[in-house]
Amino acid sequence: MIAADPTARLLVTGGAGFIGSCYVRDVMARRDGTRITVLDKLTYAGNRANLAPVEADAEQAARFAFVRGDIADPAAVGPLVADADAVVNFAAESHVDRSILDPAAFLRTGVDGVHVLLEAVRRETERAAAGMRSRPPRLLQVSTDEVYGSVEDGFSREGDALAPRSPYAAAKAAGELLARSYHVTYGLDVVITRGSNTYGPYHHPEKLIPLFVTNALDDRPLPLYGDGMQVRDWLYVADHAAAIDHVLRRGTSGEVYNVPGSHHVPNRDVVAQLLAHLGKPWSLVRFVEDRPGHDRRYAMDGAKLALLGWTNRVAFADGLAATIDWFRANEAWWRAARSGEWDAYYERQYAGRLANADAAARATTGAEAEPADVAPGSPSAGTGA
Ligand code: NAD
Ligand code: DAU
């Protein structure tokens, strides 16, 4: 069992992305002997610089290896899984808006890629059964609350039906269902986590919080979709990474664990809080055309993970402050992330929306007013903890 082995060899796929790199940095910083190999394709979202703190530390670097490659490539995956005690799969295309613009890459990594990983784990499981290795590798598949679809009220539990509504969410649901099928059919040691909306340092600026922080720092408009009343449950990245490690080491094979956040609020409220922290005005906000099929609310019950002994540590106000401070201090990092293909993406995703919002504002009463029930910096407008 990995829990009892401080010298475990982990293969972390997608470990150069936002959550995966936090996982790698935090596990390596424990200095407990764990060895990690990262396999990452380095898509637009992957960034070797996210692993610089590990590679710059001699003791950690000696326990670390980086391989650039695709989880959908059996030749790259096979030997790495053969050398691993466990695989933690973060690799995915992760942005819902991009899945609406172009779903193909989501299916290739989220379905074909997961299948290739599972086949490699299956082969190693068979080798363990034949006495050719001491134990089979465990696979942790990182999934998402989006597989439950939009939850109008109440809190999703692990046994609830899956009802994904975007190509991203459907690919994630397919990946975890495949993983579970390999547990049932071939006896693979698989655990699955379903995390909620994660935020923190190194978050790619395409996502709500880092997009709005970096746009606000540049006094650029903030494109808020629809009425801004969609509810998300915000989870600090170090808490998400630690919960994944907890499930990897203590979770029961074949089980799914929700990883809820600690701040369950409408987007408007999050935006008001981040603007207050930045000292920027609400007038930067533009209400723009909604995301097609936009899920209104996500909310998960975390009782199963709590029973396993994990609860979050970071309150939203503290996590948001730390995140904004990090973005202020790491301007070179986020400017680099907003380069290359960024301008073309931004134009495709936002130019029409922002132009229409400006035209609508001129035609009526001006920009929408700041929500009366959400004073900047105030706590939640009242949807939950
Ligand atoms: P991210 O987009 O920041 O990082 C994804 C990483 O995977 C990148 O480094 C990318 O280069 C790599 N990658 C993509 N395709 C690959 C492939 N075919 N082979 C190898 N590497 C590949 O994503 P993130 O926000 O860090 O999310 C990580 C995981 O957590 C994803 O599986 C996502 O679905 C899940 N998740 C994310 C959140 C969130 O709020 N960000 C919440 C719940 C679950
Ligand atoms: O819930 C978990 C999911 O959280 C993860 O599985 C995904 O990988 C991750 O990207 C995130 O998905 P969301 O779609 O919820 O995150 P995003 O940051 O894109 O959007 C958060 C909310 O903000 C959502 O209601 C859409 C809204 N939004 C987003 C952007 C980028 C806006 O209003 N304007 C924007 O420009």
Side-chain angles (χ1 to χ4, degrees):
M1 191 57 208
I2 299 159
D5 182 0
T7 58
R9 298 162 306 160
L10 305 184
L11 175 62
V12 180
T13 49
F18 165 49
I19 308 172
S21 70
C22 177
Y23 179 81
V24 173
R25 291 190 304 273
D26 289 359
V27 170
M28 294 302 272
R30 286 189 215 142
R31 300 184 191 281
D32 63 0
T34 303
R35 307 181 73 83
I36 290 183
T37 297
V38 165
L39 172 66
D40 197 295
K41 190 175 173 181
L42 295 181
T43 67
Y44 77 92
N47 188 346
R48 191 92 187 250
N50 297 358
L51 299 165
V54 172
E55 296 191 281
D57 178 299
E59 189 279 329
Q60 294 184 42
R63 295 182 282 113
F64 178 74
F66 181 86
V67 178
R68 185 171 190 179
D70 189 335
I71 64 163
D73 174 5
V77 165
L80 297 176
V81 173
D83 272 347
D85 297 313
V87 181
V88 187
N89 181 32
F90 292 94
E93 294 290 334
S94 66
H95 191 32
V96 173
D97 288 326
R98 290 188 194 251
S99 84
I100 294 166
L101 293 174
D102 188 2
F106 288 75
L107 301 181
R108 171 150 172 87
T109 297
V111 184
D112 296 343
V114 172
H115 176 233
V116 168
L117 282 178
L118 287 165
E119 280 296 320
V121 172
R122 179 182 167 197
R123 199 162 39 252
E124 293 308 307
T125 304
E126 287 167 1
R127 288 184 65 235
M132 296 166 71
R133 58 180 282 163
S134 59
R135 60 191 172 198
R138 164 165 275 199
L139 173 78
L140 187 144
Q141 172 64 12
V142 178
S143 190
T144 171
D145 59 3
E146 301 208 10
V147 297
Y148 292 115
S150 195
V151 182
E152 297 314 310
D153 45 43
F155 294 86
S156 305
R157 302 185 63 142
E158 287 83 351
D160 289 357
L162 304 190
R165 289 160 32 92
S166 71
Y168 162 73
K172 294 299 295 183
E176 67 160 86
L177 289 172
L178 262 181
R180 244 175 92 76
S181 80
Y182 270 61
H183 168 76
V184 172
T185 306
Y186 305 114
L188 264 57
D189 182 6
V190 168
V191 281
I192 293 160
T193 55
R194 292 184 185 144
S196 68
N197 274 72
T198 306
Y199 70 100
Y202 300 92
H203 202 182
H204 194 282
E206 66 192 358
K207 309 286 171 40
L208 177 76
I209 289 180
L211 178 71
F212 279 30
V213 168
T214 56
N215 273 13
L217 286 171
D218 279 348
D219 295 312
R220 293 167 63 128
L222 312 182
L224 192 55
Y225 295 156
D227 62 3
M229 291 304 289
Q230 302 82 9
V231 172
R232 298 291 184 267
D233 184 13
W234 294 95
L235 170 64
Y236 192 61
V237 64
D239 275 342
H240 193 168
I244 285 169
D245 198 57
H246 192 83
V247 171
L248 177 72
R249 289 161 201 276
R250 293 167 208 277
T252 301
S253 191
E255 293 295 317
V256 178
Y257 296 89
N258 288 343
V259 185
S262 47
H263 195 61
H264 176 236
V265 283
N267 293 337
R268 275 184 182 220
D269 193 355
V270 169
V271 175
Q273 288 183 63
L274 75 82
L275 285 172
H277 192 90
L278 285 163
K280 297 284 184 178
W282 181 262
S283 58
L284 287 175
V285 173
R286 300 286 185 283
F287 285 85
V288 299
E289 181 191 337
D290 210 348
R291 172 185 281 175
H294 197 169
D295 287 339
R296 194 71 178 162
R297 176 176 177 269
Y298 303 134
M300 290 188 294
D301 182 311
K304 188 169 172 183
L305 186 60
L307 263 179
L308 197 67
W310 172 258
T311 48
N312 293 331
R313 295 180 183 148
V314 181
F316 185 71
D318 298 336
L320 184 64
T323 302
I324 290 174
D325 291 348
W326 187 89
F327 275 89
R328 276 200 173 112
N330 290 277
E331 186 176 339
W333 182 93
W334 62 260
R335 292 229 182 262
R338 293 179 64 134
S339 67
E341 59 85 59
W342 174 267
D343 285 346
Y345 164 71
Y346 200 86
E347 168 83 13
R348 196 171 166 205
Q349 180 63 21
Y350 294 110
R353 282 185 159 95
L354 286 167
N356 290 340
D358 286 343
R362 276 195 303 276
T364 56
T365 56
E368 288 230 20
E370 178 171 4
D373 55 344
V374 184
S378 74
S380 161
T383 53

